[in-house]
């Protein structure tokens, strides 16, 4: 039988009626914003799946998602005014009901950011209860992390030595690895590494710029707090 933390039973301190549909939604938005790494976006589309799609207006999921991508935390009373705040900042937002696949949790949303240069970035996350979330995809890359720790996401063609080299760099610089998980699709491997503390950029840069990696992203919501509303 699974053991639950007291926080998971009681639920988070939050604005809104539902830990899954409001608090979790806001945290997905916060995480999606962190994954953009400060890139400036002018438009965001929320593609809602399952019960998110059927109840998002009544449970405030829509307000919470917009608040999340504005970097408004789940316990901030401005969450209820997120639409107005976004419009004042010139951010276009919309909601679409969709089917993201039978394997997706019913409380799932794909957050799609659009940039002035024509680029886009999508982050898919699920609200799994008690205000807890799981990020399950970045663009077309399947990942799985709860956004509780700084996370390094790397994708590469299958080859020897990658896991060992990343582990060595982190341990030699006295960082503790919380989890290290790989997913393989054909000959492409996605390596997701959670670290117990923020990693210095001087250590990260050689990893993120390594030519072996087709995709490299570092996500850290534990580090210095982002300037509110950066978008």
């Amino acid at each position: 039988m699974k053991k639950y933390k007291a926080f998971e039973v009681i639920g988070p301190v939050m604005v809104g009626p539902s830990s899954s549909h409001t608090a979790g939604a806001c945290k997905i938005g916060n995480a999606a914003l962190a994954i953009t790494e400060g890139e400036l976006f002018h438009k965001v589309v929320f593609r809602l799946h399952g019960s998110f799609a059927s109840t998002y207006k009544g449970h405030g999921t829509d307000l919470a998602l917009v608040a999340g991508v504005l970097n408004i935390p789940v316990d901030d009373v401005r969450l209820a005014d997120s639409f107005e705040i976004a419009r004042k900042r010139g951010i276009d937002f919309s909601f679409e009901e969709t089917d993201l696949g039978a394997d997706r949790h019913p409380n799932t949303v794909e957050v799609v950011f659009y940039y002035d240069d024509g680029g886009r970035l999508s982050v898919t996350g699920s609200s799994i209860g008690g205000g807890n979330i799981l990020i399950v995809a970045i663009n077309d890359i399947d990942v799985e992390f709860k956004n509780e720790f700084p996370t390094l996401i790397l994708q590469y063609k299958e080859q020897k030595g990658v896991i060992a080299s990343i582990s060595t760099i982190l341990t030699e610089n006295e960082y503790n690895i919380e989890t290290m998980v790989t997913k393989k699709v054909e000959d492409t491997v996605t390596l997701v590494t959670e670290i117990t503390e923020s990693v210095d950029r001087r250590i990260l840069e050689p990893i993120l710029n390594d030519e072996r990696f087709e995709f490299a992203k570092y996500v850290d919501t534990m580090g210095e707090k982002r300037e509110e509303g950066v978008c």
Side-chain angles (χ1 to χ4, degrees), residues 181-192:
V181 179
T182 60
K183 287 189 175 183
K184 181 182 174 184
V185 178
E186 296 181 347
D187 65 341
T188 299
V189 178
T190 301
L191 171 64
V192 178

Side-chain angles (χ1 to χ4, degrees), residues 25-45:
C26 185
K27 288 183 178 180
I28 291 171
N30 290 158
L33 179 65
I35 290 168
T36 70
E37 295 185 322
E39 296 177 60
L40 300 179
F41 64 92
H42 68 273
K43 176 182 176 181
V44 58
V45 176

Side-chain angles (χ1 to χ4, degrees), residues 21-22 25 48 52 55-66 95:
H21 288 251
T22 314
L48 299 145
F52 262 11
T55 64
Y56 71 95
K57 292 181 179 178
H59 284 160
T61 304
D62 48 359
L63 291 167
L65 287 167
V66 173
F95 303 89

Side-chain angles (χ1 to χ4, degrees), residues 3-230:
K3 294 182 179 179
Y4 290 90
K5 299 177 183 178
F7 178 81
E8 294 177 309
V9 177
I10 298 171
V13 176
M14 58 176 236
V15 173
S18 169
S19 61
S20 291
H21 288 251
T22 314
C26 185
K27 288 183 178 180
I28 291 171
N30 290 158
L33 179 65
I35 290 168
T36 70
E37 295 185 322
E39 296 177 60
L40 300 179
F41 64 92
H42 68 273
K43 176 182 176 181
V44 58
V45 176
F46 301 96
R47 304 183 68 236
L48 299 145
H49 169 82
S51 60
F52 262 11
S54 59
T55 64
Y56 71 95
K57 292 181 179 178
H59 284 160
T61 304
D62 48 359
L63 291 167
L65 287 167
V66 173
V69 299
L70 295 176
N71 204 33
I72 294 173
V74 68
D75 59 351
D76 194 315
V77 295
R78 292 172 304 156
L79 185 150
D81 300 317
S82 63
F83 285 8
E84 181 181 356
I85 295 170
R87 292 184 181 115
K88 286 181 177 179
R89 296 178 183 172
I91 299 171
D92 183 18
F93 59 89
S94 62
F95 303 89
E96 298 177 358
E97 298 177 18
T98 190
D99 183 352
L100 295 175
D103 60 333
R104 292 302 189 204
H105 189 283
N107 295 334
T108 297
V109 58
E110 180 184 21
V111 184
V112 187
F113 297 95
Y114 293 87
Y115 306 101
D116 291 337
D117 63 2
R120 68 188 290 277
L121 173 74
S122 69
V123 178
T124 304
S126 301
S127 177
I128 58 176
N132 299 295
I133 68 169
L134 190 66
I135 301 301
V136 297
I138 299 175
N139 290 337
D140 295 325
I141 301 169
D142 286 335
V143 298
E144 188 171 303
F145 63 97
K146 293 184 177 180
N147 201 44
E148 295 176 347
F149 298 95
T151 303
L152 187 62
I153 305 161
L154 306 169
Q155 190 176 61
Y156 55 94
K157 294 300 181 185
E158 186 177 21
Q159 56 191 280
K160 295 180 179 179
V162 174
I163 296 174
S165 66
I166 298 302
S167 299
T168 298
I169 291 171
L170 293 173
T171 55
E172 285 184 347
N173 286 281
E174 300 184 348
Y175 288 101
N176 293 320
I177 296 173
E178 177 70 17
T179 65
M180 182 174 271
V181 179
T182 60
K183 287 189 175 183
K184 181 182 174 184
V185 178
E186 296 181 347
D187 65 341
T188 299
V189 178
T190 301
L191 171 64
V192 178
T193 304
E194 294 179 302
I195 305 104
T196 57
E197 60 184 299
S198 299
V199 181
D200 191 292
R201 293 301 301 191
R202 292 173 296 178
I203 297 167
L204 283 172
E205 288 303 327
I207 298 174
L208 298 177
N209 294 321
D210 191 317
E211 294 183 353
R212 291 178 296 178
F213 303 128
E214 299 176 345
F215 178 91
K217 179 75 73 172
Y218 174 70
V219 183
D220 182 8
T221 55
M222 290 179 63
E224 184 177 353
K225 185 177 179 181
R226 294 169 57 108
E227 181 181 350
E228 177 187 304
V230 171

